[in-house]
Amino acid sequence: MNVEALYASELRRVMKDMEKCRREGDLSFAFITDLHHRASGNQLRAAAAVRELARSLKLDFVLNGGDTSANGPKSDVLAAQREMAEALTIPGVPVLTAKGNHDDNSIYDYEQKSGTVDHVVFPQETRAIWSAASEGVARYDEARPGALYYYADFPAKRVRVVVLDCTDHPYRRKEEGGLAYLGQWHYVFSEAQLHWLANRALDLRERPEWSVMILSHVAILQENVFGADRPIMNGEAAWSIVKAFRAGERMQAVGGKGEFAYRIDADFAAQGARDVLGCWFGHVHHDQVVTRDGIPNVSTLNACTLREFPESPKREEGSVIETAFDIVTADLGARICRLTRFGAGESRTIRY
């Protein structure tokens, strides 16, 4: 059987499984992450499958967990990112994308020892690529024109999706050349982003009974996360905000270092306890759920054709297991997320 027939069969299976588990009023979305795409690469087949499922199932949105492109010369990286943004998008289904640690391509100049920033994809360029795919639903931090964190509201489902930027550092060039901070390895939530999260993104006082879900490329906290490499600076502060939001409590936090010092004061008591439909992440190329303070932290297998760990499922180019992504349906009343897998790996059920 050729690859097109294999994909068609897998599409039929996923749609049949979705018919069994989805109920009217459920929130439904695709979650795909770590495509590490090169222009004209085989992950265009995965993107086409996401588009077909988004159209046929009338999904609310597509969630892209970041690391959309492989690293290389800037022109190649931009071409791959633009191609994937277009490939994932259909009218009426916004694509919400988190910036991954590979997506600024800063590692390429570092590895080439160029001493320049000639191959860096700057935040404004990233935002320009994905703004059309988010169909105008993305609400960015108005105080920071170059920010890559935002939220999107879905009023029919009373859900807000919050997308965080885990490499929110200044793109400042050093005197001797190169960037002061490389997105490849420097994970941080800035004080501005923390304030925005606490006082804007999670301010639902005028939206009673609304829930949120959160996306960041790297898990907010790394403890017990399989495949984790390094923590996000100020991740503890971000988690304290999310935890207080869920409980409907006040929180205060002071910490950080240097230009990443922070002082946060947020009070969620007036809006009361709210549901968090999971903190979703990629980066680790592994399926897992780490429950922290009653909130599931959910990662999905990488969509690119790479078997990262011996514990990971087999991958094979030219078959449906060359990729992996989930179609998620959230029963908001029962507080259950059902993840139907396309490609490598298994379907899952998560309670929140």
Side-chain angles (χ1 to χ4, degrees), residues 125-142:
E125 295 173 292
T126 299
R127 189 155 153 178
I129 289 169
W130 291 101
S131 58
S134 62
E135 290 211 331
V137 303
R139 299 290 178 260
Y140 291 90
D141 183 352
E142 296 176 356

Side-chain angles (χ1 to χ4, degrees), residues 326-347:
D326 291 315
I327 303 298
V328 184
T329 181
D331 185 329
L332 303 175
R335 295 184 173 89
I336 295 175
C337 288
R338 297 179 176 88
L339 288 67
T340 301
R341 177 57 52 89
F342 184 105
E346 303 293 335
S347 297

Side-chain angles (χ1 to χ4, degrees), residues 4-149:
E4 289 78 14
L6 291 169
Y7 266 73
S9 176
E10 185 75 346
L11 282 167
R12 289 192 295 271
R13 182 194 64 79
V14 170
M15 284 190 275
K16 185 176 180 180
D17 288 350
M18 286 292 293
E19 289 174 1
K20 295 176 183 177
C21 71
R22 189 163 66 160
R23 299 172 177 83
E24 186 175 353
D26 285 354
L27 179 76
S28 299
F29 60 95
F31 180 38
I32 189 167
T33 188
D34 294 86
L35 283 145
H36 293 280
H37 175 62
R38 297 186 188 278
S40 302
N42 68 318
Q43 293 315 311
L44 289 176
R45 289 194 285 264
V50 169
R51 276 202 323 274
E52 177 58 26
L53 290 165
R55 182 191 64 79
S56 299
L57 297 171
K58 296 181 172 57
L59 300 182
D60 293 295
F61 53 86
V62 172
L63 208 61
N64 173 15
D67 277 2
T68 299
S69 57
N71 298 112
K74 183 171 182 175
S75 58
D76 293 350
V77 172
L78 289 174
Q81 291 183 3
R82 290 171 180 142
E83 182 178 61
M84 187 52 66
E86 182 177 349
L88 285 171
T89 304
I90 65 167
V93 184
V95 181
L96 308 178
T97 297
K99 177 189 171 191
N101 62 307
H102 282 273
D103 287 332
D104 72 359
N105 202 44
S106 58
I107 191 176
Y108 191 74
D109 280 310
Y110 177 83
E111 290 180 337
Q112 298 296 310
K113 298 180 174 59
S114 69
T116 72
V117 295
D118 291 348
H119 296 284
V120 173
V121 178
F122 289 91
Q124 296 88 338
E125 295 173 292
T126 299
R127 189 155 153 178
I129 289 169
W130 291 101
S131 58
S134 62
E135 290 211 331
V137 303
R139 299 290 178 260
Y140 291 90
D141 183 352
E142 296 176 356
R144 297 181 68 199
L148 292 176
Y149 51 88

Side-chain angles (χ1 to χ4, degrees), residues 223-256:
E223 184 180 2
N224 298 324
V225 173
F226 181 91
D229 53 354
R230 54 180 53 80
I232 304 176
M233 187 183 299
N234 301 340
E236 291 283 355
W239 188 259
S240 294
I241 295 168
V242 174
K243 180 180 174 181
F245 167 83
R246 181 177 182 270
E249 298 175 344
R250 184 179 181 183
M251 64 78 62
Q252 294 176 306
V254 178

Side-chain angles (χ1 to χ4, degrees), residues 203-223:
D203 181 359
L204 294 177
R205 287 172 294 179
E206 297 181 0
R207 291 169 172 80
E209 299 181 5
W210 277 49
S211 305
V212 302
M213 57 180 295
I214 297 173
L215 172 68
S216 60
H217 177 66
V218 178
I220 296 173
L221 293 181
Q222 301 293 293
E223 184 180 2

